[in-house]
Amino acid sequence: MAAAEQIGEKKGREQTMKQHSIWSNYRYTYGPLWQKKKKIVLSTIAEAVFYVFVPIVGMMTTSMIIGSLEQGISMSKLVLLVLAAFAVCGVLNIAKGYLEARGDGQYIEARTELFIMDQIEKDLTVSMEQYEDEEIHKLKEKSDNCLWANFFGLEGFFRHNSDLLKSVLGLVVYALLVGSMNWKILAMLIAMSAVSAAAAYGVTRYYQKIKDPVAEQQMTMHYINREVDDIQGGKDIRIFGLESWIIGKFDAAIRRCRQLHFRWDMRSYGSNILDTVLDAVRDVICYLYLILQLAGGMRLSEFVFYLGLIAGFSNWIGMISKSVVAVRQDSDSINDLRAYLDLEEEKPSGEAVDCSAWTDIEIEFDHVSYRYCGAEAETLRDVSFRLAAGEKIALVGVNGAGKTTIVKLMAGLYLPTSGTVYVNGVSTRDLDRKSYFAKQAAIFQEPFQTSYSIGENIALAETYDREKMWKVLAQAGFDQKVRSLAGQLDTHLGKDIVPDGIGLSGGEQQKLLLARALYRDASLVMLDEPTAALDALAETEIYEKYQTLLRGKSVLFISHRLASTRFCDRIILLSEGCVVEQGTHEQLMRKQGAYHEMFQVQSRYYQDAGQGAEKPDGSIS
């Protein structure tokens, strides 16, 4: 059954990541550009016109000067003619250069102002289930490649379409002029161009085969870059001497990328060789024809003009071939971007239930099971329990028992594979998630902290109520520390943005997170082993504050130290994804089951920490 479900999941992802036609991608990119940045489109057209006609004016000027010499024009008139011709060509070339330089910045402007914010918004709103899916991570990498490059993907699409417009316009104009000379020559040029285009298409098709493997290697390189840049990890890297190992991993990814690109480059090189051969054949045939025409009475000025046209025609063909390949690749990359932006979460069957007016939160797990995408077995199996409004529940169990998964299901970050999670009687499938998130405060084992000010880190907003801020800092026991700092609430955490940012100890970090939960005034608070890095005494101090300050709120917390669970109204013991025991601390100790056994094993360490061991009746010795 699991295998069948995995196939279904894969098909579902493939359907979500549908491929758009190139015409659809034109509407997707140039539609917003025309609506909001019309000047860029008009500038691109003007640039193409100047790009094509300025060389023609130059060839006509040369032909005119040679024709004047053939007619025996006087030297003074010839000088004036040359000066006038150069003045006209100079003005046209200045205008052409200005449009080309302007276009460079405009394409960056179009990419950054019209599209990047869509991806950032998707990064921040994509569901956790999708965010943790390996295939979605790969898609995100390809989406980044589309958006964060100058000559590939979205911006490349604008640039290469500008080149394509120039080459198509140039080909049409030059074809009309060459056709006026001899239609057979024109037919020959077109036929050879078709062969060149077919070879270029083959290169584009091969790129599709290597795109995913390249993205996988880029994911590896970006991951290593993040780890190397992490200050906390830097200590381990140096102590354990991981430099060679990390460099070896990075080098392996680079070499794999290089191998993939080499195969693509060789096909591109083969296509370029074919273009060179076809160009040579075209030139030989055309030049022989023109030489014969010159011998038959064609004027030298006409010979020079048509010679320039044929050489230009070959250039336009080569430019079209390269532009078509690039546009096709850019369009495929835009498909990746659109597939990522089109990712959809499971939506309520009817209108989503707004939680904004709720003051109390009650949670019920009704025969809930959950299996991660691609996993063979379920992480949770038939879990049922209830968290009443204002109740405090401790969730305990060994690592891998499914505790964090329960937190994510309770928060609405995940939706059950089967069964239902009810919030005040409403399934999480039918909730308006944003309004539900606003009722929560969650503190995870790896706490979220930004490199902005202490005030912003607590309020998680740029503006905040400073009076309320000092109140919650005092409640959390962190106000004296903040008042001792030169910048107080405006002091930055970390040195990523400002050089005088500070670092916090583990205990200080926990007090800041407690202040954050208090400032949010959430109805539901979830604590997923936030004190795992603290010693037993420091953890006890923090949990005593939680017990006092979160009174009246619905609280679920996970702790690997069972002695800290005693202040909870109820304890749930999870093992291998199933609830095996529930009750108060005293009830579970008297039962002398799995919880009792785990507590007795840990009690030795509590004695060492000065907490004492507990007797079977729940008292402390």
Side-chain angles (χ1 to χ4, degrees):
M1 185 63 183
E5 289 175 352
Q6 284 179 308
I7 292 172
E9 287 172 357
K10 184 176 180 181
K11 287 183 177 179
R13 286 198 295 266
E14 289 173 350
Q15 290 171 357
T16 301
M17 302 174 197
K18 64 180 181 179
Q19 295 294 302
H20 299 275
S21 70
I22 191 169
W23 307 115
S24 174
N25 286 335
Y26 273 115
R27 290 192 297 272
Y28 174 76
T29 52
Y30 281 92
L33 194 65
W34 179 252
Q35 291 176 359
K36 300 177 182 178
K37 300 284 183 180
K38 194 173 295 184
K39 288 183 179 180
I40 296 179
V41 179
L42 297 176
S43 177
T44 299
I45 295 172
E47 181 186 346
V49 171
F50 273 83
Y51 193 88
V52 170
F53 283 96
V54 167
I56 292 178
V57 171
M59 288 186 292
M60 291 176 65
T61 300
T62 303
S63 178
M64 181 179 62
I65 292 173
I66 293 175
S68 298
L69 289 172
E70 288 179 321
Q71 295 173 3
I73 189 173
S74 66
M75 185 58 65
S76 59
K77 289 182 178 180
L78 178 63
V79 170
L80 290 175
L81 180 63
V82 169
L83 290 175
F86 274 97
V88 171
C89 289
V91 170
L92 291 176
N93 274 292
I94 289 172
K96 173 174 171 283
Y98 168 76
L99 289 170
E100 289 174 351
R102 179 182 174 86
D104 229 23
Q106 286 179 331
Y107 300 134
I108 297 174
E109 175 187 332
R111 170 174 60 88
T112 54
E113 293 189 18
L114 299 182
F115 298 95
I116 281 180
M117 291 306 298
D118 290 339
Q119 191 203 38
I120 293 175
E121 182 179 355
K122 176 59 68 173
D123 290 343
L124 297 174
T125 58
V126 65
S127 73
M128 284 298 298
E129 290 167 299
Q130 292 171 324
Y131 182 78
E132 295 174 354
D133 186 335
E134 183 181 347
E135 290 298 319
I136 301 301
H137 263 291
K138 189 188 300 181
L139 182 61
K140 169 66 167 61
E141 187 71 30
K142 292 187 287 187
S143 172
D144 287 344
N145 291 340
C146 176
L147 267 182
W148 297 94
N150 293 117
F151 296 94
F152 178 76
L154 190 71
E155 189 178 328
F157 194 66
F158 292 132
R159 292 179 182 276
H160 295 135
N161 271 298
S162 174
D163 292 339
L164 184 59
L165 176 62
K166 295 172 188 174
S167 55
V168 169
L169 179 61
L171 184 65
V172 170
V173 172
Y174 278 53
L176 292 173
L177 294 173
V178 171
S180 67
M181 176 182 66
N182 188 309
W183 69 269
K184 292 180 180 179
I185 293 292
L186 177 61
M188 182 269 296
L189 292 174
I190 293 174
M192 289 186 172
S193 301
V195 175
S196 177
Y201 179 73
V203 175
T204 303
R205 294 288 296 175
Y206 182 76
Y207 175 75
Q208 292 305 304
K209 296 181 180 179
I210 69 167
K211 186 170 60 173
D212 280 359
V214 167
E216 290 172 1
Q217 301 307 315
Q218 289 173 333
M219 284 171 59
T220 299
M221 289 187 282
H222 290 166
Y223 165 74
I224 294 173
N225 275 329
R226 289 194 302 271
E227 291 301 304
V228 169
D229 199 41
D230 179 42
I231 295 176
Q232 298 301 321
K235 297 192 292 290
D236 296 276
I237 290 172
R238 285 158 178 77
I239 290 173
F240 289 100
L242 303 180
E243 297 89 346
S244 299
W245 182 56
I246 291 174
I247 291 172
K249 294 286 187 183
F250 198 89
D251 183 59
I254 290 177
R255 281 189 281 107
R256 178 58 180 153
C257 269
R258 193 161 54 232
Q259 290 170 357
L260 292 167
H261 278 291
F262 177 75
R263 296 170 188 172
W264 178 43
D265 290 341
M266 289 305 295
R267 284 163 173 78
S268 299
Y269 181 61
S271 177
N272 290 337
I273 290 177
L274 178 62
D275 285 343
T276 302
V277 172
L278 292 175
D279 284 346
V281 172
R282 277 195 299 262
D283 289 347
V284 168
I285 293 174
C286 292
Y287 290 173
L288 285 175
Y289 173 81
L290 286 175
I291 290 170
L292 290 175
Q293 292 297 308
L294 183 64
M298 176 185 281
R299 293 174 57 189
L300 183 60
S301 57
E302 291 180 309
F303 175 84
V304 171
F305 180 68
Y306 283 118
L307 192 66
L309 281 179
I310 290 171
F313 190 95
S314 299
N315 289 334
W316 293 128
I317 291 294
M319 190 171 171
I320 283 181
S321 176
K322 290 181 174 62
S323 298
V324 167
V325 171
V327 166
R328 180 74 259 181
Q329 290 169 354
D330 295 330
S331 178
D332 290 333
S333 181
I334 291 171
N335 278 336
D336 297 326
L337 170 65
R338 295 182 67 179
Y340 179 66
L341 296 179
D342 288 342
L343 290 175
E344 294 183 0
E345 300 182 41
E346 184 177 338
K347 295 181 179 179
S349 54
E351 186 175 352
V353 177
D354 190 350
C355 312
S356 303
W358 294 354
T359 55
D360 297 320
I361 296 292
E362 177 180 289
I363 308 288
E364 182 181 358
F365 275 58
D366 184 16
H367 299 286
V368 170
S369 297
Y370 188 81
R371 182 172 66 86
Y372 284 91
C373 179
E376 291 292 337
E378 292 176 326
T379 300
L380 295 179
R381 298 193 303 279
D382 197 31
V383 171
S384 296
F385 67 89
R386 178 173 170 269
L387 171 63
E391 185 181 21
K392 294 181 177 64
I393 287 182
L395 191 62
V396 299
V398 298
N399 291 336
K403 303 185 296 294
T404 298
T405 303
I406 284 182
V407 172
K408 291 177 180 177
L409 285 162
M410 184 177 288
L413 296 171
Y414 290 174
L415 295 175
T417 305
S418 63
T420 307
V421 178
Y422 292 103
V423 182
N424 290 359
V426 180
S427 170
T428 50
R429 292 186 174 89
D430 298 324
L431 290 176
D432 174 66
R433 294 201 189 186
K434 285 190 176 180
S435 66
Y436 180 43
F437 291 156
K439 295 294 176 181
Q440 306 173 22
I443 302 176
F444 295 100
Q445 190 168 351
E446 296 180 359
F448 175 70
Q449 175 184 301
T450 71
S451 289
Y452 292 100
S453 70
I454 289 176
E456 289 173 299
N457 268 278
I458 293 173
L460 295 179
E462 194 169 355
T463 59
Y464 50 86
D465 184 336
R466 299 180 81 88
E467 183 178 348
K468 180 180 178 181
M469 183 69 65
W470 284 115
K471 179 181 178 181
V472 299
L473 283 170
Q475 290 175 323
F478 195 45
D479 59 325
Q480 293 303 316
K481 169 67 177 180
V482 177
R483 291 185 190 279
S484 70
L485 301 172
Q488 296 194 352
L489 291 176
D490 298 320
T491 303
H492 279 239
L493 300 180
K495 302 180 184 295
D496 300 288
I497 295 177
V498 296
D500 58 347
I502 66 166
L504 298 178
S505 67
E508 291 170 339
Q509 176 85 50
Q510 288 306 313
K511 290 177 181 178
L512 181 142
L513 296 175
L514 174 56
R516 178 188 293 172
L518 294 172
Y519 186 89
R520 191 171 178 84
D521 194 24
S523 301
L524 173 65
V525 180
M526 293 163 289
L527 312 170
D528 184 4
E529 296 202 52
T531 58
L534 303 184
D535 60 55
L537 292 176
E539 182 184 52
T540 300
E541 178 189 355
I542 289 293
Y543 278 126
E544 284 175 353
K545 287 184 178 292
Y546 279 132
Q547 181 181 14
T548 303
L549 297 173
L550 299 180
R551 186 173 289 116
K553 300 183 184 297
S554 303
V555 181
L556 174 77
F557 84 92
I558 298 171
S559 175
H560 64 289
R561 295 189 180 107
L562 301 186
S564 301
T565 66
R566 290 174 298 180
F567 71 85
C568 287
D569 301 313
R570 196 153 41 92
I571 297 167
I572 297 175
L573 176 61
L574 205 65
S575 178
E576 297 182 352
C578 299
V579 174
V580 292
E581 289 182 1
Q582 292 191 58
T584 65
H585 177 74
E586 291 75 15
Q587 288 171 343
L588 295 180
M589 289 301 294
R590 286 195 296 268
K591 186 178 179 181
Q592 296 196 355
Y595 178 84
H596 176 272
E597 182 180 349
M598 290 177 65
F599 193 93
Q600 290 299 324
V601 170
Q602 289 195 10
S603 65
R604 303 191 201 100
Y605 302 104
Y606 300 149
Q607 283 181 321
D608 293 340
Q611 289 181 247
E614 183 169 345
K615 298 177 181 178
D617 63 0
S619 62
I620 300 294
S621 59

